[in-house]
Amino acid sequence: MAGDALIGRNKFGLYHIPEGVETRPASRAVLSGRVFEPDTIDFMRANCGDGDVIHAGTFFGDFLPGLSDGMALNAKIWAFEPNPGSFAAAEQTVALNGLANVELQNAALSDQGGEVLFQTHRTDGSPMGGVSHVVEAAGEGVNRVRSVMLDYAVPIDRKVSILQLDVEGHEKNALLGAYHIINIWKPILILEYFSEARWISRTFRNLRYKAVCKVHGNHVYATGPVET
């Protein structure tokens, strides 16, 4: 225990878990010494090559130590977390592990810059943690958070090998905001519960993305072979 947070640990490192989300699957995993979504992390480590990784829906940073350790020299992880409480925890996870190759931003990904409405707490006041999400209307537990387009948040000359999104239904907006990154670098797309291969092939019609596999609940799309 450190202040109002728990510290979890697994083979990759230490994790700062905010109060109130101890029962979330990622929290339970690291508090019991396990890796959350080990197959997803292994897949990303095996396929990132010499490029950068974009990782959105960072939560408290449950993927960050495992990904950081598998990156090439001078490659970076561009991590995005809109929930202010989760972002603060992810900052602590980065600090606890000394992750020098992580660029962490407190922002939601979208197809335009500005602000979005983001629900971080339930109506009873309990934190939603990793299932916080963009909403259409203001209300209890809803905050305004900064939104960014990946095309402007990540330098276009950075080679991106993997774009991984866990953004709770906001995938289309986030992908449209990365239109130029995707067209230039053709990264592997890892999208949680997003099975719209036809939309991806239509939107990025010249790239010939195909659904290639599933890892945990994530649908993987690529323009060529991947290492499974």
Side-chain angles (χ1 to χ4, degrees):
M1 180 81 73
D4 60 354
L6 296 171
I7 302 299
R9 180 192 300 267
N10 62 24
K11 67 178 183 178
F12 290 124
L14 300 170
Y15 305 83
H16 183 102
I17 301 168
E19 184 179 24
V21 299
E22 299 92 338
T23 61
R24 296 297 306 159
S27 304
R28 292 202 311 269
V30 299
L31 286 171
S32 64
R34 295 180 289 110
V35 176
F36 181 64
E37 289 200 23
D39 293 345
T40 306
I41 292 176
D42 287 348
F43 178 88
M44 294 173 73
R45 287 165 61 96
N47 286 281
C48 60
D50 62 351
D52 291 356
V53 167
I54 295 172
H55 166 56
T58 298
F59 196 16
F60 60 80
D62 48 285
F63 274 33
L64 294 180
L67 292 180
S68 175
D69 179 61
M71 301 292 290
L73 183 67
N74 298 323
K76 291 185 178 183
I77 300 168
W78 302 87
F80 298 86
E81 175 50 58
N83 184 320
S86 297
F87 170 77
E91 281 191 308
Q92 292 300 312
T93 295
V94 169
L96 284 169
N97 296 279
L99 306 182
N101 58 354
V102 174
E103 299 283 345
L104 177 63
Q105 294 191 40
N106 185 198
L109 300 186
S110 194
D111 53 352
Q112 57 186 340
E115 290 185 329
V116 293
L117 294 171
F118 199 76
Q119 185 155 9
T120 60
H121 290 74
R122 299 177 180 85
T123 54
D124 64 2
S126 61
M128 298 178 68
V131 293
S132 302
H133 56 274
V134 174
V135 294
E136 296 296 323
E140 288 290 330
V142 175
N143 299 281
R144 289 189 177 274
V145 301
R146 183 169 69 102
S147 65
V148 298
M149 297 173 62
L150 280 172
D151 281 339
Y152 295 99
V154 176
I156 203 67
D157 62 349
R158 297 291 306 188
K159 178 182 178 181
V160 177
S161 295
I162 295 176
L163 197 171
Q164 183 260 334
L165 301 178
D166 179 5
V167 293
E168 303 295 326
H170 209 57
E171 292 85 1
K172 289 181 180 179
N173 304 75
L175 291 169
L176 288 172
Y179 187 83
H180 295 294
I181 287 174
I182 292 171
N183 274 278
I184 291 170
W185 298 114
K186 305 175 184 63
I188 296 169
L189 307 178
I190 304 176
L191 310 175
E192 186 174 61
Y193 303 121
F194 188 82
S195 58
E196 297 195 37
R198 185 173 297 178
W199 182 88
I200 290 173
S201 64
R202 286 201 312 266
T203 304
F204 305 103
R205 63 178 67 246
N206 295 322
L207 304 184
R208 299 183 180 179
Y209 270 102
K210 295 181 180 179
V212 294
C213 64
K214 283 185 68 177
V215 186
H216 289 289
N218 304 290
H219 294 263
V220 179
Y221 304 89
T223 60
V226 299
E227 185 176 335
T228 59

